[in-house]
Amino acid sequence: MDKQMKFHTLFFFFFCILNLFSQEEDFRDWLPHEVEYYKNLKGLAEYVNARDKSDISKDTLFKKYIYVDSDTLKHKGTLYDMENFDTIFSFIPATIKKVGIQNLDAKPLRFYKQHEIYRPFQSALKRVVPFVMVYYRKERPDEPLGTLLFEPKTHKLHSWILLSQGDSGWYYL
């Protein structure tokens, strides 16, 4: 092989390796705010993963990952008082522990328009579609586990439990 051929082969090999490592998260066809939601979700998952409940700081959760308006936190008896929050939030660490952080992934709801999970968003929750991510097991991306609502300005997680109220519609808790 001549020098030029060796150089091209070496360059191609180096480019392939570099490309493999840069493809860890493929955000092709994602909007900038969707990437921010994903990064927030990943940060949250990494923060709570392998931590005991007592080691998870609510201050850190609210400052970095979960959206709660300041008025809600000030009023006692709201959904976000600390006792209720612990119960509601426990769903997230339990899901991560059950499935395994390395096995979970998420992508924007708009990629699931042909899936049953999109049904509540066709009318009742149509206005929140741009702010919703779908999470799933990496080995089964076509079988979503659930949806997550993000606050558009801060990109923080706003809600992670979607409830059906029968004929009344769907609501995020």
Side-chain angles (χ1 to χ4, degrees), residues 143-167:
E143 298 175 24
L145 298 173
T147 58
L148 306 164
L149 176 65
F150 288 82
E151 198 281 325
K153 291 179 184 169
T154 63
H155 303 122
K156 292 179 180 181
L157 184 60
H158 195 288
S159 184
W160 49 93
I161 299 173
L162 181 62
L163 299 175
S164 172
Q165 297 296 310
D167 293 338

PDB file of all heavy atoms in Angstrom, residues 143-167:
ATOM      1  N   GLU A 143     -42.626   0.186  22.508  1.00  0.00           N
ATOM      2  CA  GLU A 143     -43.534  -0.135  23.605  1.00  0.00           C
ATOM      3  C   GLU A 143     -43.302   0.855  24.756  1.00  0.00           C
ATOM      4  O   GLU A 143     -42.655   0.533  25.746  1.00  0.00           O
ATOM      5  CB  GLU A 143     -43.300  -1.571  24.087  1.00  0.00           C
ATOM      6  CG  GLU A 143     -43.557  -2.621  23.032  1.00  0.00           C
ATOM      7  CD  GLU A 143     -43.189  -4.021  23.500  1.00  0.00           C
ATOM      8  OE1 GLU A 143     -43.163  -4.264  24.734  1.00  0.00           O
ATOM      9  OE2 GLU A 143     -42.924  -4.859  22.643  1.00  0.00           O
ATOM     10  N   PRO A 144     -43.831   2.076  24.628  1.00  0.00           N
ATOM     11  CA  PRO A 144     -43.595   3.106  25.646  1.00  0.00           C
ATOM     12  C   PRO A 144     -44.086   2.694  27.028  1.00  0.00           C
ATOM     13  O   PRO A 144     -45.088   1.988  27.157  1.00  0.00           O
ATOM     14  CB  PRO A 144     -44.384   4.303  25.146  1.00  0.00           C
ATOM     15  CG  PRO A 144     -44.813   3.992  23.774  1.00  0.00           C
ATOM     16  CD  PRO A 144     -44.707   2.522  23.570  1.00  0.00           C
ATOM     17  N   LEU A 145     -43.377   3.167  28.032  1.00  0.00           N
ATOM     18  CA  LEU A 145     -43.771   2.920  29.418  1.00  0.00           C
ATOM     19  C   LEU A 145     -44.638   4.046  29.961  1.00  0.00           C
ATOM     20  O   LEU A 145     -45.457   3.837  30.847  1.00  0.00           O
ATOM     21  CB  LEU A 145     -42.528   2.762  30.299  1.00  0.00           C
ATOM     22  CG  LEU A 145     -41.612   1.594  29.941  1.00  0.00           C
ATOM     23  CD1 LEU A 145     -40.329   1.646  30.763  1.00  0.00           C
ATOM     24  CD2 LEU A 145     -42.335   0.275  30.157  1.00  0.00           C
ATOM     25  N   GLY A 146     -44.446   5.265  29.447  1.00  0.00           N
ATOM     26  CA  GLY A 146     -45.225   6.391  29.940  1.00  0.00           C
ATOM     27  C   GLY A 146     -44.782   7.696  29.321  1.00  0.00           C
ATOM     28  O   GLY A 146     -43.915   7.724  28.450  1.00  0.00           O
ATOM     29  N   THR A 147     -45.395   8.774  29.790  1.00  0.00           N
ATOM     30  CA  THR A 147     -45.091  10.106  29.268  1.00  0.00           C
ATOM     31  C   THR A 147     -44.681  11.033  30.409  1.00  0.00           C
ATOM     32  O   THR A 147     -45.057  10.819  31.561  1.00  0.00           O
ATOM     33  CB  THR A 147     -46.316  10.705  28.550  1.00  0.00           C
ATOM     34  OG1 THR A 147     -47.416  10.756  29.460  1.00  0.00           O
ATOM     35  CG2 THR A 147     -46.690   9.890  27.319  1.00  0.00           C
ATOM     36  N   LEU A 148     -43.916  12.054  30.056  1.00  0.00           N
ATOM     37  CA  LEU A 148     -43.415  13.030  31.013  1.00  0.00           C
ATOM     38  C   LEU A 148     -43.658  14.422  30.459  1.00  0.00           C
ATOM     39  O   LEU A 148     -43.320  14.696  29.312  1.00  0.00           O
ATOM     40  CB  LEU A 148     -41.910  12.827  31.229  1.00  0.00           C
ATOM     41  CG  LEU A 148     -41.479  11.421  31.640  1.00  0.00           C
ATOM     42  CD1 LEU A 148     -39.990  11.249  31.445  1.00  0.00           C
ATOM     43  CD2 LEU A 148     -41.863  11.171  33.082  1.00  0.00           C
ATOM     44  N   LEU A 149     -44.235  15.282  31.271  1.00  0.00           N
ATOM     45  CA  LEU A 149     -44.536  16.654  30.863  1.00  0.00           C
ATOM     46  C   LEU A 149     -43.453  17.591  31.394  1.00  0.00           C
ATOM     47  O   LEU A 149     -43.115  17.544  32.573  1.00  0.00           O
ATOM     48  CB  LEU A 149     -45.899  17.081  31.406  1.00  0.00           C
ATOM     49  CG  LEU A 149     -46.332  18.520  31.143  1.00  0.00           C
ATOM     50  CD1 LEU A 149     -46.524  18.772  29.645  1.00  0.00           C
ATOM     51  CD2 LEU A 149     -47.615  18.826  31.915  1.00  0.00           C
ATOM     52  N   PHE A 150     -42.929  18.452  30.522  1.00  0.00           N
ATOM     53  CA  PHE A 150     -41.881  19.399  30.899  1.00  0.00           C
ATOM     54  C   PHE A 150     -42.413  20.827  30.844  1.00  0.00           C
ATOM     55  O   PHE A 150     -43.295  21.146  30.054  1.00  0.00           O
ATOM     56  CB  PHE A 150     -40.670  19.251  29.973  1.00  0.00           C
ATOM     57  CG  PHE A 150     -39.909  17.989  30.237  1.00  0.00           C
ATOM     58  CD1 PHE A 150     -40.318  16.782  29.711  1.00  0.00           C
ATOM     59  CD2 PHE A 150     -38.782  18.005  31.046  1.00  0.00           C
ATOM     60  CE1 PHE A 150     -39.631  15.608  29.981  1.00  0.00           C
ATOM     61  CE2 PHE A 150     -38.086  16.842  31.317  1.00  0.00           C
ATOM     62  CZ  PHE A 150     -38.514  15.642  30.784  1.00  0.00           C
ATOM     63  N   GLU A 151     -41.836  21.650  31.691  1.00  0.00           N
ATOM     64  CA  GLU A 151     -42.193  23.062  31.720  1.00  0.00           C
ATOM     65  C   GLU A 151     -41.361  23.747  30.632  1.00  0.00           C
ATOM     66  O   GLU A 151     -40.139  23.611  30.608  1.00  0.00           O
ATOM     67  CB  GLU A 151     -41.881  23.634  33.114  1.00  0.00           C
ATOM     68  CG  GLU A 151     -42.568  24.936  33.415  1.00  0.00           C
ATOM     69  CD  GLU A 151     -41.884  26.131  32.782  1.00  0.00           C
ATOM     70  OE1 GLU A 151     -40.645  26.132  32.690  1.00  0.00           O
ATOM     71  OE2 GLU A 151     -42.583  27.057  32.370  1.00  0.00           O
ATOM     72  N   PRO A 152     -41.985  24.440  29.694  1.00  0.00           N
ATOM     73  CA  PRO A 152     -41.275  24.939  28.514  1.00  0.00           C
ATOM     74  C   PRO A 152     -40.191  25.991  28.770  1.00  0.00           C
ATOM     75  O   PRO A 152     -39.196  26.018  28.055  1.00  0.00           O
ATOM     76  CB  PRO A 152     -42.368  25.506  27.629  1.00  0.00           C
ATOM     77  CG  PRO A 152     -43.582  25.612  28.454  1.00  0.00           C
ATOM     78  CD  PRO A 152     -43.419  24.700  29.621  1.00  0.00           C
ATOM     79  N   LYS A 153     -40.348  26.838  29.773  1.00  0.00           N
ATOM     80  CA  LYS A 153     -39.358  27.898  29.981  1.00  0.00           C
ATOM     81  C   LYS A 153     -38.105  27.402  30.690  1.00  0.00           C
ATOM     82  O   LYS A 153     -36.995  27.785  30.337  1.00  0.00           O
ATOM     83  CB  LYS A 153     -39.974  29.055  30.761  1.00  0.00           C
ATOM     84  CG  LYS A 153     -41.016  29.804  29.966  1.00  0.00           C
ATOM     85  CD  LYS A 153     -41.627  30.925  30.768  1.00  0.00           C
ATOM     86  CE  LYS A 153     -42.734  31.573  29.940  1.00  0.00           C
ATOM     87  NZ  LYS A 153     -43.545  32.480  30.725  1.00  0.00           N
ATOM     88  N   THR A 154     -38.280  26.549  31.695  1.00  0.00           N
ATOM     89  CA  THR A 154     -37.136  26.080  32.481  1.00  0.00           C
ATOM     90  C   THR A 154     -36.595  24.744  31.990  1.00  0.00           C
ATOM     91  O   THR A 154     -35.504  24.349  32.378  1.00  0.00           O
ATOM     92  CB  THR A 154     -37.536  25.904  33.963  1.00  0.00           C
ATOM     93  OG1 THR A 154     -38.542  24.890  34.047  1.00  0.00           O
ATOM     94  CG2 THR A 154     -38.031  27.218  34.550  1.00  0.00           C
ATOM     95  N   HIS A 155     -37.367  24.029  31.177  1.00  0.00           N
ATOM     96  CA  HIS A 155     -37.046  22.696  30.675  1.00  0.00           C
ATOM     97  C   HIS A 155     -37.012  21.647  31.778  1.00  0.00           C
ATOM     98  O   HIS A 155     -36.471  20.564  31.603  1.00  0.00           O
ATOM     99  CB  HIS A 155     -35.719  22.688  29.895  1.00  0.00           C
ATOM    100  CG  HIS A 155     -35.725  23.652  28.764  1.00  0.00           C
ATOM    101  ND1 HIS A 155     -34.814  24.657  28.660  1.00  0.00           N
ATOM    102  CD2 HIS A 155     -36.546  23.791  27.695  1.00  0.00           C
ATOM    103  CE1 HIS A 155     -35.052  25.364  27.575  1.00  0.00           C
ATOM    104  NE2 HIS A 155     -36.112  24.853  26.980  1.00  0.00           N
ATOM    105  N   LYS A 156     -37.600  21.981  32.920  1.00  0.00           N
ATOM    106  CA  LYS A 156     -37.648  21.041  34.038  1.00  0.00           C
ATOM    107  C   LYS A 156     -38.873  20.140  33.920  1.00  0.00           C
ATOM    108  O   LYS A 156     -39.879  20.503  33.317  1.00  0.00           O
ATOM    109  CB  LYS A 156     -37.719  21.793  35.368  1.00  0.00           C
ATOM    110  CG  LYS A 156     -36.467  22.562  35.716  1.00  0.00           C
ATOM    111  CD  LYS A 156     -36.667  23.281  37.037  1.00  0.00           C
ATOM    112  CE  LYS A 156     -35.467  24.066  37.463  1.00  0.00           C
ATOM    113  NZ  LYS A 156     -35.692  24.734  38.771  1.00  0.00           N
ATOM    114  N   LEU A 157     -38.774  18.991  34.552  1.00  0.00           N
ATOM    115  CA  LEU A 157     -39.893  18.054  34.595  1.00  0.00           C
ATOM    116  C   LEU A 157     -41.032  18.680  35.395  1.00  0.00           C
ATOM    117  O   LEU A 157     -40.838  19.144  36.512  1.00  0.00           O
ATOM    118  CB  LEU A 157     -39.439  16.742  35.252  1.00  0.00           C
ATOM    119  CG  LEU A 157     -40.449  15.615  35.303  1.00  0.00           C
ATOM    120  CD1 LEU A 157     -40.899  15.209  33.901  1.00  0.00           C
ATOM    121  CD2 LEU A 157     -39.848  14.422  36.035  1.00  0.00           C
ATOM    122  N   HIS A 158     -42.221  18.694  34.808  1.00  0.00           N
ATOM    123  CA  HIS A 158     -43.375  19.319  35.449  1.00  0.00           C
ATOM    124  C   HIS A 158     -44.318  18.266  36.022  1.00  0.00           C
ATOM    125  O   HIS A 158     -44.879  18.442  37.097  1.00  0.00           O
ATOM    126  CB  HIS A 158     -44.116  20.196  34.437  1.00  0.00           C
ATOM    127  CG  HIS A 158     -45.096  21.141  35.037  1.00  0.00           C
ATOM    128  ND1 HIS A 158     -46.294  20.740  35.576  1.00  0.00           N
ATOM    129  CD2 HIS A 158     -45.062  22.482  35.202  1.00  0.00           C
ATOM    130  CE1 HIS A 158     -46.958  21.781  36.027  1.00  0.00           C
ATOM    131  NE2 HIS A 158     -46.224  22.853  35.818  1.00  0.00           N
ATOM    132  N   SER A 159     -44.494  17.167  35.305  1.00  0.00           N
ATOM    133  CA  SER A 159     -45.400  16.124  35.759  1.00  0.00           C
ATOM    134  C   SER A 159     -45.013  14.793  35.129  1.00  0.00           C
ATOM    135  O   SER A 159     -44.554  14.747  33.996  1.00  0.00           O
ATOM    136  CB  SER A 159     -46.833  16.486  35.375  1.00  0.00           C
ATOM    137  OG  SER A 159     -47.729  15.540  35.885  1.00  0.00           O
ATOM    138  N   TRP A 160     -45.235  13.710  35.876  1.00  0.00           N
ATOM    139  CA  TRP A 160     -44.822  12.396  35.387  1.00  0.00           C
ATOM    140  C   TRP A 160     -45.914  11.348  35.542  1.00  0.00           C
ATOM    141  O   TRP A 160     -45.710  10.196  35.267  1.00  0.00           O
ATOM    142  CB  TRP A 160     -43.548  11.940  36.092  1.00  0.00           C
ATOM    143  CG  TRP A 160     -43.604  12.067  37.586  1.00  0.00           C
ATOM    144  CD1 TRP A 160     -43.984  11.090  38.470  1.00  0.00           C
ATOM    145  CD2 TRP A 160     -43.282  13.220  38.360  1.00  0.00           C
ATOM    146  NE1 TRP A 160     -43.922  11.580  39.757  1.00  0.00           N
ATOM    147  CE2 TRP A 160     -43.481  12.883  39.728  1.00  0.00           C
ATOM    148  CE3 TRP A 160     -42.842  14.498  38.051  1.00  0.00           C
ATOM    149  CZ2 TRP A 160     -43.252  13.783  40.759  1.00  0.00           C
ATOM    150  CZ3 TRP A 160     -42.617  15.384  39.089  1.00  0.00           C
ATOM    151  CH2 TRP A 160     -42.813  15.023  40.413  1.00  0.00           C
ATOM    152  N   ILE A 161     -47.091  11.771  35.973  1.00  0.00           N
ATOM    153  CA  ILE A 161     -48.205  10.831  36.106  1.00  0.00           C
ATOM    154  C   ILE A 161     -49.385  11.361  35.295  1.00  0.00           C
ATOM    155  O   ILE A 161     -49.870  12.461  35.539  1.00  0.00           O
ATOM    156  CB  ILE A 161     -48.605  10.651  37.584  1.00  0.00           C
ATOM    157  CG1 ILE A 161     -47.425  10.092  38.387  1.00  0.00           C
ATOM    158  CG2 ILE A 161     -49.816   9.731  37.710  1.00  0.00           C
ATOM    159  CD1 ILE A 161     -47.651  10.029  39.882  1.00  0.00           C
ATOM    160  N   LEU A 162     -49.823  10.584  34.333  1.00  0.00           N
ATOM    161  CA  LEU A 162     -50.960  10.938  33.492  1.00  0.00           C
ATOM    162  C   LEU A 162     -52.157  10.106  33.932  1.00  0.00           C
ATOM    163  O   LEU A 162     -52.080   8.879  33.985  1.00  0.00           O
ATOM    164  CB  LEU A 162     -50.635  10.663  32.019  1.00  0.00           C
ATOM    165  CG  LEU A 162     -51.709  10.994  30.998  1.00  0.00           C
ATOM    166  CD1 LEU A 162     -52.034  12.485  31.013  1.00  0.00           C
ATOM    167  CD2 LEU A 162     -51.245  10.573  29.608  1.00  0.00           C
ATOM    168  N   LEU A 163     -53.236  10.778  34.265  1.00  0.00           N
ATOM    169  CA  LEU A 163     -54.434  10.095  34.758  1.00  0.00           C
ATOM    170  C   LEU A 163     -55.586  10.218  33.782  1.00  0.00           C
ATOM    171  O   LEU A 163     -55.807  11.278  33.209  1.00  0.00           O
ATOM    172  CB  LEU A 163     -54.878  10.709  36.091  1.00  0.00           C
ATOM    173  CG  LEU A 163     -53.903  10.637  37.253  1.00  0.00           C
ATOM    174  CD1 LEU A 163     -54.467  11.415  38.445  1.00  0.00           C
ATOM    175  CD2 LEU A 163     -53.627   9.212  37.647  1.00  0.00           C
ATOM    176  N   SER A 164     -56.320   9.130  33.630  1.00  0.00           N
ATOM    177  CA  SER A 164     -57.540   9.153  32.838  1.00  0.00           C
ATOM    178  C   SER A 164     -58.710   9.397  33.776  1.00  0.00           C
ATOM    179  O   SER A 164     -58.864   8.720  34.790  1.00  0.00           O
ATOM    180  CB  SER A 164     -57.730   7.816  32.127  1.00  0.00           C
ATOM    181  OG  SER A 164     -59.010   7.788  31.521  1.00  0.00           O
ATOM    182  N   GLN A 165     -59.536  10.365  33.433  1.00  0.00           N
ATOM    183  CA  GLN A 165     -60.738  10.665  34.216  1.00  0.00           C
ATOM    184  C   GLN A 165     -61.980  10.173  33.476  1.00  0.00           C
ATOM    185  O   GLN A 165     -63.031  10.788  33.527  1.00  0.00           O
ATOM    186  CB  GLN A 165     -60.830  12.172  34.466  1.00  0.00           C
ATOM    187  CG  GLN A 165     -59.684  12.710  35.294  1.00  0.00           C
ATOM    188  CD  GLN A 165     -59.677  12.133  36.697  1.00  0.00           C
ATOM    189  OE1 GLN A 165     -60.682  12.125  37.390  1.00  0.00           O
ATOM    190  NE2 GLN A 165     -58.543  11.609  37.108  1.00  0.00           N
ATOM    191  N   GLY A 166     -61.830   9.079  32.763  1.00  0.00           N
ATOM    192  CA  GLY A 166     -62.939   8.530  32.009  1.00  0.00           C
ATOM    193  C   GLY A 166     -63.377   9.465  30.911  1.00  0.00           C
ATOM    194  O   GLY A 166     -62.570   9.967  30.157  1.00  0.00           O
ATOM    195  N   ASP A 167     -64.670   9.737  30.868  1.00  0.00           N
ATOM    196  CA  ASP A 167     -65.220  10.613  29.832  1.00  0.00           C
ATOM    197  C   ASP A 167     -64.820  12.071  30.043  1.00  0.00           C
ATOM    198  O   ASP A 167     -64.959  12.891  29.148  1.00  0.00           O
ATOM    199  CB  ASP A 167     -66.749  10.517  29.794  1.00  0.00           C
ATOM    200  CG  ASP A 167     -67.219   9.143  29.320  1.00  0.00           C
ATOM    201  OD1 ASP A 167     -66.417   8.451  28.634  1.00  0.00           O
ATOM    202  OD2 ASP A 167     -68.350   8.765  29.642  1.00  0.00           O
TER     203      ASP A 167
END
